[in-house]
């Protein structure tokens, strides 16, 4: 309730550490609840969050408790991540918890060790977060394409577009107007189609997730698996679209802005940098394997929660 009333920004993660170098977080029983200790790196938000939502394992159990922590507590130390490529404003960082008390009322729930004990409706949470990031990737692609189009319409582009037959490329503003260059039209047609295709796949996944949320606890494991496949497809298609579009439009505007576009003068390269930062952690091969296994064998992809 306080989260909504006070407009808290939540950040953190509940999955176990991905590497053995990260010992993870541990909880020790206390008279008033628990004591939280440990160190953990998080991908976004922790440097600016009002509250941290983290998963920690009580000693001697395989399950994980999800707890709420105030980052202003003197036992919480946040080392902001300043060496991330691209999206340096993501609020990433490493958080150290030094004997931080967690009252019983700040324990949000239990994450079972066996994912099959998680009800399908609860399994929509990581899918919603993944789809949110997919929407960001789609927005990056569409934004890059729209800005490049505006530059072309202004007649500033002398497109660095190689002719398919091996003829000379067009360099400098086209005396007939950039809107008449057939190769520029071809390039924009391909990129617009790529963006439209990604948007259609994302829309289908979004509609499926909305239906799943409306189903609530009546959602079946099979329905949740179908939604997961659509989200995986949206991730794969959109990641490829974002990289392709943002890379190609850099070539299209390069004739107008020259070295400035590459050095970041007008900031047009931000689209490519953000797309790379957003998609660097994705593993399309894993997503495609899950989609294929579901399509061919009816298998359910392993449930993963956001870290």
């Amino acid at each position: 309730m306080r989260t909504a009333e006070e407009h808290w920004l939540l950040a953190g993660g509940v999955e176990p550490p991905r590497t053995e170098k990260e010992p993870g977080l541990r909880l020790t029983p206390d008279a008033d609840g628990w004591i939280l200790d440990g160190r953990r790196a998080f991908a976004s938000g922790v440097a600016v969050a009002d509250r941290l939502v983290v998963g920690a394992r009580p000693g001697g159990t395989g399950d994980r408790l999800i707890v709420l922590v105030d980052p202003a507590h003197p036992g919480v130390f946040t080392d902001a991540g300043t060496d991330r490529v691209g999206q340096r404003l993501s609020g990433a960082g490493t958080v150290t918890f030094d004997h931080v008390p967690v009252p019983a009322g700040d324990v949000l729930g239990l994450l079972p060790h066996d994912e099959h004990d998680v009800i399908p409706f609860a399994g929509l949470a990581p899918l919603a977060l993944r789809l949110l990031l997919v929407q960001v990737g789609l927005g990056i692609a569409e934004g890059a394409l729209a800005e490049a189009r505006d530059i072309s319409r202004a007649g500033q582009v002398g497109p660095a577009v190689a002719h398919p037959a091996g003829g000379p490329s067009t360099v400098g503003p086209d005396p007939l107007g950039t809107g008449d260059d057939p190769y520029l039209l071809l390039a924009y047609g391909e990129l617009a189609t790529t963006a439209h295709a990604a948007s259609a796949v994302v829309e289908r996944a979004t509609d499926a997730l909305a239906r799943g949320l409306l189903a609530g606890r009546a959602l079946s494991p099979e329905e949740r698996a179908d939604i997961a496949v659509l989200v995986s497809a949206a991730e794969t298609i959109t990641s490829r679209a974002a990289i392709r579009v943002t890379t190609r439009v850099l070539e299209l505007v390069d004739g107008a802005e020259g070295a400035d576009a590459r050095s970041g003068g007008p900031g047009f390269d931000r689209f490519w940098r953000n797309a790379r930062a957003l998609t660097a952690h994705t593993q399309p091969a894993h997503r495609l394997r899950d989609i294929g296994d579901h399509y061919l064998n009816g298998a359910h992809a392993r449930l993963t929660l956001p870290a």
Side-chain angles (χ1 to χ4, degrees):
M1 182 67 71
R2 289 188 63 191
T3 301
E5 291 177 350
E6 301 185 27
H7 305 286
W8 282 346
L9 173 63
L10 303 180
V14 300
E15 265 198 335
R18 297 177 181 177
T19 66
E20 294 182 357
K21 295 181 180 180
E22 285 189 84
L25 306 180
R26 60 188 180 277
L27 288 167
T28 305
D30 182 68
D32 298 322
W34 301 88
I35 299 296
L36 178 64
D37 290 283
R39 190 168 185 267
R40 178 74 193 278
F42 298 99
S44 63
V46 293
V48 294
D50 297 302
R51 292 294 185 275
L52 301 176
V53 179
V54 299
R57 181 172 296 166
T61 72
D63 296 333
R64 303 177 67 78
L65 289 179
I66 312 303
V67 301
L68 190 69
V69 180
D70 185 351
H73 187 277
V76 179
F77 306 92
T78 302
D79 181 16
T82 58
D83 58 348
R84 290 172 58 84
V85 176
Q87 295 173 332
R88 295 183 176 87
L89 300 181
S90 63
T94 299
V95 183
T96 301
F97 301 91
D98 183 13
H99 213 65
V100 179
V102 179
D106 287 341
V107 177
L108 304 182
L110 177 71
L111 181 63
H113 178 65
D114 186 351
E115 67 177 46
H116 295 94
D117 291 336
V118 179
I119 64 172
F121 180 65
L124 293 180
L127 298 181
L129 178 58
R130 285 166 53 189
L131 195 55
L132 174 63
L133 296 178
V134 168
Q135 296 279 5
V136 173
L138 179 61
I140 291 172
E142 292 178 338
L145 189 56
E147 189 163 320
R149 178 193 60 195
D150 292 343
I151 296 174
S152 294
R153 285 177 173 175
Q156 299 174 340
V157 173
V161 180
H163 287 210
S169 298
T170 301
V171 179
D174 186 345
L176 299 179
T178 55
D180 297 323
D181 187 313
Y183 301 103
L184 185 63
L185 297 177
L186 174 63
Y188 273 110
E190 291 177 343
L191 295 179
T193 299
T194 297
H196 289 324
S199 178
V201 177
V202 172
E203 183 177 356
R204 186 179 179 189
T206 302
D207 290 343
L209 179 63
R211 291 193 298 271
L213 293 172
L214 289 175
R217 292 182 174 270
L219 186 74
S220 69
E222 290 72 23
E223 290 171 328
R224 191 248 174 220
D226 291 341
I227 297 171
V229 165
L230 291 175
V231 172
S232 293
E235 280 179 316
T236 303
I237 296 296
T238 303
S239 294
R240 292 176 174 176
I243 295 300
R244 181 184 179 192
V245 170
T246 56
T247 300
R248 191 72 176 94
V249 295
L250 275 177
E251 300 170 0
L252 296 180
V253 304
D254 185 53
E257 298 176 305
D260 283 345
R262 294 186 295 273
S263 64
F268 188 80
D269 63 335
R270 70 189 185 279
F271 295 108
W272 179 84
R273 291 186 290 106
N274 287 341
R276 289 300 301 163
L278 184 68
T279 62
H281 69 284
T282 60
Q283 299 174 317
H286 293 183
R287 302 301 189 205
L288 291 172
R289 182 194 60 193
D290 290 341
I291 294 170
D293 199 12
H294 177 78
Y295 187 80
L296 185 63
N297 303 315
H300 295 186
R302 186 177 72 88
L303 172 64
T304 58
L305 294 169

